Amino acid sequence: VSSVTSDSDGFLQCLSENIPSGLIYTQAASNFIDVLVSSVRNPRLFSNATVRPLCIVTPVDVSHVQAAVRCGRANGVRLRVRSGGHDYEGLSYRSERADEVFGVVDLSNLRAITVSAGDERPMPTAWVDSGATLGELYYTIAKNNSELAFPAGICPTIGVGGHFSGGGIGMMMRRFGLSIDNVLDAKLVNASGDIVDRAAMGEDHFWAIRGGGGESFGIVVSWKVSLVRVPSTVTAFNIFKTVDQGAIDVLTRWQDVAPDLPSDITIRVIVQGQRATFQSLYLGTCSDLVPMLNGSFPELGMTSADCLEMTWLQSAAFFNFWNRHTPVEALLNRKTSLSTFTKNKSDYVRRAIPKEAWSNIFPWLTMSGAGMIILEPHGGFIGTIPAGATPYPHRSGVLYNIQYITFWSSGDDGSSAMTWISSFYDFMEQYVSENPRETYVNYRDLDIGENMVVNDVSSFDSGRVWGEKYFAGNFRRLAAVKWAVDPTDYFRNEQSIPPQQSTA
Ligand code: FDA
C-alpha cells in the first residue's frame, strides 16, 4: 500500500526544466510506443494491458540521469531503469502493479566504450557505459586488439547495465569468472541524485552492485572492467546426440566431466526434443583439444572433424547465430524482434542427476508446450571464488546451472507452454539444490516471489522468500547495504532488495 502520493505533473514539469525536451517521451508523444518497445524482446511482457510508464527519458549525459532521480524524488515518482531491456520479466519498463506511477530512464544512448591504451598492469582495462550491448562490447574490444576479450553472456543484444548488475555467465566463466568478477570500478547515480565512483560509494555499495540484481542500489551509468587475454585462435564445436545415439549416457557422464575439465574449455548442453547439443569453446587450437577430450571425455566421440577454428570474436557470433560464417558485424545489430513469447526459470545442480532420472527427464522435452533446457557448467575459476566475494553465491560445489525456456508465437495463448514449464520445474525439485533451491537472478522469475510493500517500504520478510534463492547467505548483507544507501526504498521493483538494518 503506497502512503506517498505521486505528483505526476510536478515530475514532468521538473523533467522539462532540466532535460532537453527531445529526450523526454510522454504517453501523449506520437512515438511513445516505439520508444517503449524499442528493446522489448518478449511480447508476453508487452500487451495492451501492460502497466506503462508516465514517460521515458533517454539521457545523453549523466546529468540527465541525475535530474531524473532528483525530479522523481521531489515528486514521489519512482523510476525504472532500462539498459538492454532483456529482463525476463520486463521489470525495466513495466510494473506488475496497476496503480504504480513511474518513469523509465532508458540508457540506450549512453553506450560509450573506451579501451585503455594497453600498457596497464596486470591487464588492459575498459570503461563501458551501461547502455552498450554485449555485442558492442565484444566487437569494440576485439577490434582494438584481437587477443583481448571479456567474459559475459551469449546474446549480443543484452545490455551491459542489467547483465553486470546480476552476474554475467557465459562461455569463458570457467576460465575468467563472471562479468562481475572482472569489474574494477563503476559510476553510479545514487538515491540522492549524486554521481559516485567506487571510492565515493564505499566497498559495501560497490560489492552490492556487482551481482545484487538491477534497480535496488542506484543507476549504474558506467563500469570499469579488466579485460582478459585470449589466444588468436580458439576452437568451437557443436556435437549433436539424440537419445537413440546415446544422449542419456553422454549427458550423465558430462555432469561429472564438464565442471572438472581444465578451465580453458567450456562444454554447455542444450537439450531440445530428444536431442542434446554439446556446444563448446576451447581457448586454444584443435590439435590440443582433440587429445585432451579423447582422454577425459571419450564418450563424446569428438574428432578433429568437429573443430571449428576461429577468432574469439567470431566465436561470439557463432554461439549466438549458430553459423560460423555470420559476419562479426552482426554483433552490433541492436534490433530485437517481438516474434517469440517466452518464459524462463532456472536451477543449480550440486549432485549429478542419475542416469535413470535422465531417462525420466527426456520425455518432458517432447510433451505439449515443451521448450528446451540449457545446462551451463560451473567449476574451474568460478568455483574457487568464495560465495560471499560477490552477491552471486552459486560457486564452490555447483556442477551446473539449468535454464528452462519455453516459447510460443502469436495465435497461441501460451497456456500449454506455461503449464509445461511450471510442472517441469516442480518435477525437477528432487534433483536440484535445496535449502535454498538456488536460482540465478539474471534469469529473473517472478513465480518465486514478489515483494510486499508495507508502509511504503518493501518488506524484508517478503523479500527473503525470493531473495535467498537468488543470493543465499548474501541476501542479508544486500538488505543491510540497501538500508545504508536507500533506506526509504526509492529504487524498487517487484524483486528489489528490501532495506533492513543490520543486526550484526
Ligand atoms: P534490462 O534493461 O531489462 O535490465 C534488467 C534489470 O536490471 C532491471 O531490473 C533493470 O531495472 C536493471 N537495470 C538495467 N540497467 C541498470 C543500470 N544501469 N543500473 C541499475 N540497474 C539496471 N544472462 C547471462 O548471464 N548469460 C547469458 O548467456 C544470457 N543470455 C540471455 C539471452 C537472452 C535472449 C535473454 C533475453 C537474456 C539472457 N540473459 C543471459 C539474461 C540477462 O543477463 C539479463 O536479462 C540481464 O539483466 C539483461 O540486462 P539488460 O540491461 O538487457 O536488461
Side-chain angles (χ1 to χ4, degrees):
V1 186
S2 174
S3 60
V4 174
T5 46
S6 316
D7 178 358
S8 308
D9 293 341
F11 175 64
L12 294 172
Q13 178 67 31
C14 177
L15 290 181
S16 69
E17 286 163 7
N18 291 283
I19 298 173
S21 60
L23 304 177
I24 303 168
Y25 302 84
T26 62
Q27 289 190 354
S30 60
N31 45 4
F32 173 78
I33 296 293
D34 291 343
V35 177
L36 182 57
V37 90
S38 58
S39 61
V40 175
R41 55 170 295 149
N42 184 354
R44 178 172 69 84
L45 307 169
F46 190 80
S47 71
N48 289 335
T50 304
V51 179
R52 294 177 182 179
L54 265 182
C55 68
I56 306 162
V57 179
T58 57
V60 296
D61 188 87
V62 177
S63 63
H64 305 148
V65 181
Q66 295 179 270
V69 171
R70 290 190 174 132
C71 291
R73 296 266 345 226
N75 293 284
V77 174
R78 286 170 204 290
L79 297 175
R80 297 210 172 210
V81 52
R82 180 164 80 175
S83 291
H86 279 43
D87 191 275
Y88 276 153
E89 299 283 10
L91 300 190
S92 52
Y93 53 88
R94 71 172 193 115
S95 172
E96 283 272 291
R97 298 168 188 146
D99 59 349
E100 183 162 334
V101 178
F102 65 99
V104 165
V105 174
D106 182 304
L107 298 176
S108 55
N109 288 330
L110 287 177
R111 54 178 200 260
I113 301 168
T114 314
V115 179
S116 71
D119 50 2
E120 283 172 89
R121 292 285 177 267
M123 282 302 296
T125 59
W127 274 101
V128 53
D129 287 352
S130 283
T133 62
L134 297 186
E136 289 169 341
L137 179 62
Y138 296 160
Y139 186 89
T140 307
I141 294 169
K143 285 291 165 182
N144 193 278
N145 179 340
S146 62
E147 295 187 9
L148 292 177
F150 191 71
I154 287 181
C155 171
T157 45
I158 293 174
V160 160
H163 192 64
F164 290 10
S165 294
I169 71 179
M171 296 301 274
M172 296 199 297
M173 68 176 163
R174 302 190 63 259
R175 173 74 179 85
F176 298 113
L178 307 174
S179 302
I180 49 170
D181 299 326
N182 297 277
V183 172
L184 303 170
D185 203 342
K187 290 185 186 142
L188 166 138
V189 175
N190 66 18
S192 310
D194 296 327
I195 174 118
V196 288
D197 64 4
R198 177 177 184 168
M201 76 179 88
E203 286 303 303
D204 275 344
H205 197 175
F206 183 63
W207 173 83
I209 61 171
R210 284 173 298 147
E215 191 75 38
S216 303
F217 301 101
I219 302 179
V220 184
V221 287
S222 200
W223 309 76
K224 183 183 185 185
V225 295
S226 179
L227 304 181
V228 303
R229 206 167 289 287
V230 290
S232 54
T233 301
V234 303
T235 307
F237 67 73
N238 279 332
I239 293 179
F240 306 98
K241 298 270 182 215
T242 63
V243 170
D244 290 345
Q245 292 164 336
I248 290 178
D249 284 322
V250 184
L251 190 51
T252 303
R253 176 86 182 115
W254 169 89
Q255 301 174 100
D256 293 321
V257 175
D260 212 35
L261 284 169
S263 62
D264 47 11
I265 176 159
T266 291
I267 306 177
R268 66 177 197 149
V269 191
I270 300 145
V271 187
Q272 189 169 14
Q274 295 299 285
R275 187 175 84 163
T277 304
F278 294 82
Q279 183 172 72
S280 177
L281 173 66
Y282 173 57
L283 299 171
T285 56
C286 182
S287 55
D288 291 336
L289 176 61
V290 175
M292 189 222 296
L293 278 189
N294 284 339
S296 53
F297 194 12
E299 298 82 355
L300 186 61
M302 194 249 171
T303 71
S304 56
D306 297 308
C307 288
L308 302 171
E309 287 189 333
M310 56 184 82
T311 65
W312 172 78
L313 187 62
Q314 286 169 329
S315 79
F318 171 74
F319 293 123
N320 186 64
F321 301 108
W322 290 64
N323 179 347
R324 69 167 311 182
H325 302 295
T326 305
V328 292
E329 282 65 32
L331 293 168
L332 300 175
N333 183 3
R334 294 177 67 104
K335 205 155 168 43
T336 53
S337 139
L338 265 184
S339 59
T340 312
F341 295 71
T342 54
K343 169 70 190 167
N344 309 58
K345 302 176 84 67
S346 68
D347 267 318
Y348 286 84
V349 173
R350 289 176 177 271
R351 262 196 326 261
I353 299 176
K355 180 178 167 185
E356 310 74 63
W358 280 110
S359 301
N360 296 328
I361 292 169
F362 266 86
W364 278 91
L365 290 145
T366 49
M367 286 179 185
S368 164
M372 57 159 80
I373 55 174
I374 301 181
L375 316 178
E376 309 266 3
H378 281 50
F381 178 57
I382 187 180
T384 67
I385 297 176
T390 71
Y392 184 93
H394 323 287
R395 303 276 191 175
S396 169
V398 168
L399 299 178
Y400 56 95
N401 171 281
I402 307 182
Q403 183 181 182
Y404 309 86
I405 310 175
T406 188
F407 31 83
W408 64 98
S409 40
S410 57
D412 180 334
D413 69 0
S415 55
S416 64
M418 291 297 266
T419 303
W420 175 79
I421 200 165
S422 60
S423 328
F424 189 25
Y425 182 76
D426 289 346
F427 172 77
M428 290 299 287
E429 183 175 9
Q430 57 192 309
Y431 302 122
V432 298
S433 64
E434 54 189 352
N435 298 321
R437 183 173 181 178
E438 297 165 84
T439 306
Y440 177 33
V441 66
N442 260 349
Y443 296 160
R444 192 192 301 286
D445 179 7
L446 287 179
D447 300 350
I448 66 170
E450 283 182 39
N451 286 339
M452 303 252 302
V453 175
V454 181
N455 296 328
D456 205 33
V457 175
S458 308
S459 87
F460 180 77
D461 288 338
S462 63
R464 275 183 67 181
V465 176
W466 57 266
E468 290 183 350
K469 294 180 162 59
Y470 288 150
F471 305 113
N474 293 326
F475 179 68
R476 276 179 187 277
R477 181 170 172 199
L478 287 167
V481 176
K482 175 74 173 177
W483 170 269
V485 305
D486 183 19
T488 64
D489 202 24
Y490 176 64
F491 289 114
R492 75 169 177 231
N493 64 27
E494 293 76 356
Q495 283 187 342
S496 56
I497 303 292
Q500 170 88 341
Q501 195 163 17
S502 170
T503 48

